[in-house]
Amino acid sequence: PSLHSQRHQFVVDFVRKNKPRKVADLGCGECRLLKQLKFQRSIELLVGVDINGAKIKKNMLRLAPLSTDYLQPTFDQLHIDLYQGSVTQRDARLTGFDLVTSIELIEHLILPDLELFSSVVFGYMRPANVIISTPNSEFNKLFPGLTGFRHSDHKFEWNRSEFRSWALKVCLDYGYEAEFTGVGEAPQELQESVGFCSQIGVFRRMNVLPNRFEEEVFFYTLVYSVNYPTLC
Ligand code: SAM
């Protein structure tokens, strides 16, 4: 399987194991991960957010119910909402989630925006679990001919220790704990020295304190909303 689908499969496996009810994918892009998640029976609310509204509109119909969903409902209850919005801004509709994912997004943020991302996701949304994936720069030497970043829009690519120190600072600031893993394996003899191609941090909230913000803000724009039929 492609690296892209391995990252998404990692999230699907996490969902199968932990059975979250409310899940949001930040930087949902082409809505491919959301499309896989809609088949997970534990999920009642599935939300996607992306700054690129045109990209959402082009791909949102991937999430539309098929006629077979009506004839033979297999969903107990599922509501999907897609928002155009930036992870640097707060929106009250994104609070109270069991799982928030951010797959290959943070490396597209300039550092001041990454600070905002941390405070929005860990300080304001405060989901029970967060999964973040980002390239591991130590793996880049296995890409023949690659000199700069893997993608021209990347603002940074971190090695394992840079990702770990960012993540541990976030944990300290916002009361989470993190485990580190990844997908995309190097040849056996290099696995320890270069690590995974995509590094993944799995964060767990350590307390149930709500966020410290009092006013309700709504910075995101709803672009798609669908209810799946319920079983009677
Ligand atoms: N997560 C998807 C995946 O796994 O295929 C897409 C990854 S793509 C490399 C990064 C996505 O993040 C793009 O769809 C981009 O529009 C979105 N993005 C970039 N900056 C953003 C921001 N500030 N807020 C929300 N989404 C953002």
Side-chain angles (χ1 to χ4, degrees):
S2 69
L3 189 63
H4 191 254
S5 56
Q6 286 182 56
R7 288 190 290 258
H8 292 178
Q9 191 58 43
F10 181 89
V11 175
V12 170
D13 292 343
F14 183 93
V15 167
R16 282 206 181 115
K17 186 156 167 239
N18 294 281
K19 307 203 178 334
R21 288 187 302 120
K22 295 170 96 187
V23 179
D25 184 31
L26 308 179
C28 61
E30 293 167 347
C31 305
R32 288 181 196 275
L33 175 56
L34 294 173
K35 183 172 178 182
Q36 270 186 278
L37 291 177
K38 84 170 200 179
F39 297 108
Q40 298 305 313
R41 296 288 294 261
S42 71
I43 301 179
E44 294 167 10
L45 176 63
L46 193 53
V47 167
V49 179
D50 203 285
I51 199 169
N52 188 335
K55 201 173 192 179
I56 299 182
K57 288 189 184 128
K58 197 168 158 212
N59 293 286
M60 63 193 189
L61 291 179
R62 288 180 199 273
L63 303 174
L66 306 168
S67 55
T68 50
D69 291 331
Y70 290 106
L71 295 170
Q72 264 188 324
T74 49
F75 298 91
D76 297 331
Q77 190 183 0
L78 174 63
H79 185 86
I80 305 180
D81 285 328
L82 300 180
Y83 296 99
Q84 188 276 324
S86 171
V87 293
T88 57
Q89 288 193 299
R90 290 177 278 136
D91 191 292
R93 292 166 291 189
L94 270 289
T95 56
F97 278 70
D98 303 306
L99 172 64
V100 166
T101 59
S102 162
I103 305 303
E104 305 297 283
L105 164 63
I106 61 171
E107 65 278 5
H108 294 269
L109 303 176
I110 56 171
L111 291 179
D113 284 349
L114 181 66
E115 285 280 311
L116 291 172
F117 169 89
S118 311
S119 90
V120 167
V121 174
F122 295 94
Y124 180 75
M125 296 180 181
R126 294 198 63 66
N129 301 279
V130 181
I131 297 178
I132 293 182
S133 88
T134 192
N136 165 21
S137 64
E138 290 164 89
F139 197 97
N140 285 359
K141 62 177 172 214
L142 300 186
F143 293 119
L146 180 70
T147 47
F149 290 149
R150 294 183 196 176
H151 191 282
S152 59
D153 187 54
H154 287 178
K155 307 300 187 290
F156 60 87
E157 287 178 358
W158 282 337
N159 61 31
R160 284 171 290 179
S161 107
E162 288 166 323
F163 181 49
R164 190 178 281 260
S165 17
W166 172 79
L168 294 178
K169 167 90 168 46
V170 161
C171 288
L172 212 59
D173 288 349
Y174 300 105
Y176 279 75
E177 58 186 10
E179 281 175 22
F180 301 93
T181 177
V183 293
E185 285 180 2
Q188 186 118 43
E189 64 280 12
L190 292 172
Q191 275 173 16
E192 213 162 283
S193 65
V194 302
F196 290 103
C197 184
S198 289
Q199 43 187 346
I200 296 177
V202 181
F203 300 76
R204 201 166 61 86
R205 195 183 59 210
M206 290 170 70
N207 60 48
V208 288
L209 298 179
N211 68 55
R212 283 181 243 111
F213 299 84
E214 276 171 13
E215 87 284 27
E216 289 217 311
V217 290
F218 301 95
F219 277 113
Y220 300 171
T221 308
L222 185 66
V223 286
Y224 184 72
S225 182
V226 64
N227 256 317
Y228 274 75
T230 48
L231 279 179
C232 309

